[in-house]
Amino acid sequence: AQSVAQPEDQVNVAEGNPLTVKCTYSVSGNPYLFWYVQYPNRGLQFLLKYITGDNLVKGSYGFEAEFNKSQTSFHLKKPSALVSDSALYFCAVRDIRDDKIIFGKGTRLHILP
Amino acid sequence: DAGVTQSPTHLIKTRGQHVTLRCSPISGHKSVSWYQQVLGQGPQFIFQYYEKEERGRGNFPDRFSARQFPNYSSELNVNALLLGDSALYLCASSLRLTEAFFGQGTRLTVV
């Protein structure tokens, strides 16, 4: 069965420092991977995706993610964190059999001023 | 360009009542999916419709149903509401097998 794991409930980073939010996945076949961000009382905003191609994917707001097939990981990264990056981040994988998206449980990112 | 729009944004219902949530996808998107997000958890897949046909169903009871109209808008219906149905209900539209774009959600509170 397809699944996504986000091992950290919360990540704290000082403003200006690099940040990483971890994600591992389990899929049969080639993975379609996504990162979404959710601000309080809001829906999900798409950040970036990996379908095929370069292992380093660049997305919105300066975020990027590194796809690692051997480690089945898709970690979200940003070189320099902003206080406004504080939010709930979800890693997700698309199940091509029925087109549903399977989400991780989310990681709350706190950027400390 | 208009994004995914959902209505209403908030509503409060009593146990046992019925509720209908509505979603309009991004223009040109023929796929609409529904997700339930309970506080503190990631969204859980409920239904997916493509070209007005159900293409996927999550592990939800038969009290949950949905449909898609010729203009690709969609409704999610929940009968015999339970307290545990209180959640943020998210609608997403997409082209097949690409990223999904989500609406702002409908916050349902069952009392």
Side-chain angles (χ1 to χ4, degrees), chain A residues 22-107:
Chain A
K22 296 179 180 177
C23 172
T24 58
Y25 64 90
S26 173
V27 301
S28 51
N30 294 323
Y32 286 45
L33 296 162
F34 308 93
W35 276 100
Y36 287 86
V37 61
Q38 187 174 39
Y39 294 96
N41 301 312
R42 303 293 295 275
L44 298 174
Q45 294 181 30
F46 169 76
L47 279 179
L48 50 81
K49 66 181 177 184
Y50 173 83
I51 304 298
T52 186
D54 289 342
N55 290 341
L56 186 63
V57 178
K58 294 190 180 298
S60 305
Y61 313 119
F63 283 93
E64 57 190 27
E66 186 171 10
F67 171 69
N68 188 316
K69 188 173 184 178
S70 62
Q71 297 185 3
T72 62
S73 66
F74 189 56
H75 300 332
L76 181 70
K77 301 183 179 186
K78 187 173 183 180
S80 179
L82 300 173
V83 172
S84 58
D85 293 330
S86 298
L88 187 57
Y89 290 80
F90 291 98
C91 182
V93 62
R94 190 143 206 162
D95 188 333
I96 63 172
R97 296 168 301 174
D98 58 13
D99 219 15
K100 71 182 179 186
I101 297 178
I102 300 165
F103 288 87
K105 63 178 175 61
T107 298

Side-chain angles (χ1 to χ4, degrees), chain B:
Chain B
D1 286 341
V4 178
T5 57
Q6 293 186 243
S7 63
T9 55
H10 297 82
L11 75 166
I12 300 174
K13 291 286 188 177
T14 303
R15 280 177 295 175
Q17 285 188 316
H18 163 271
V19 68
T20 298
L21 310 181
R22 295 178 174 83
C23 172
S24 294
I26 294 171
S27 178
H29 286 191
K30 299 179 180 180
S31 175
V32 171
S33 300
W34 288 94
Y35 292 80
Q36 181 196 65
Q37 186 180 15
V38 175
L39 195 63
Q41 298 182 19
Q44 297 293 314
F45 172 76
I46 309 175
F47 287 108
Q48 195 251 343
Y49 278 79
Y50 180 74
E51 288 276 20
K52 302 181 291 296
E53 290 189 5
E54 182 183 304
R55 293 299 181 94
R57 173 185 285 254
N59 188 24
F60 280 80
D62 292 342
R63 299 184 296 107
F64 289 76
S65 63
R67 54 180 175 169
Q68 187 177 31
F69 299 100
N71 66 354
Y72 303 112
S73 67
S74 178
E75 285 183 353
L76 175 69
N77 295 283
V78 186
N79 293 324
L81 285 166
L82 303 174
L83 295 179
D85 296 330
S86 296
L88 180 67
Y89 288 85
L90 296 164
C91 173
S93 81
S94 65
L95 303 170
R96 290 296 307 275
L97 299 180
T98 62
E99 66 272 27
F101 295 93
F102 286 81
Q104 294 304 297
T106 294
R107 174 74 62 187
L108 172 64
T109 302
V110 182
V111 297

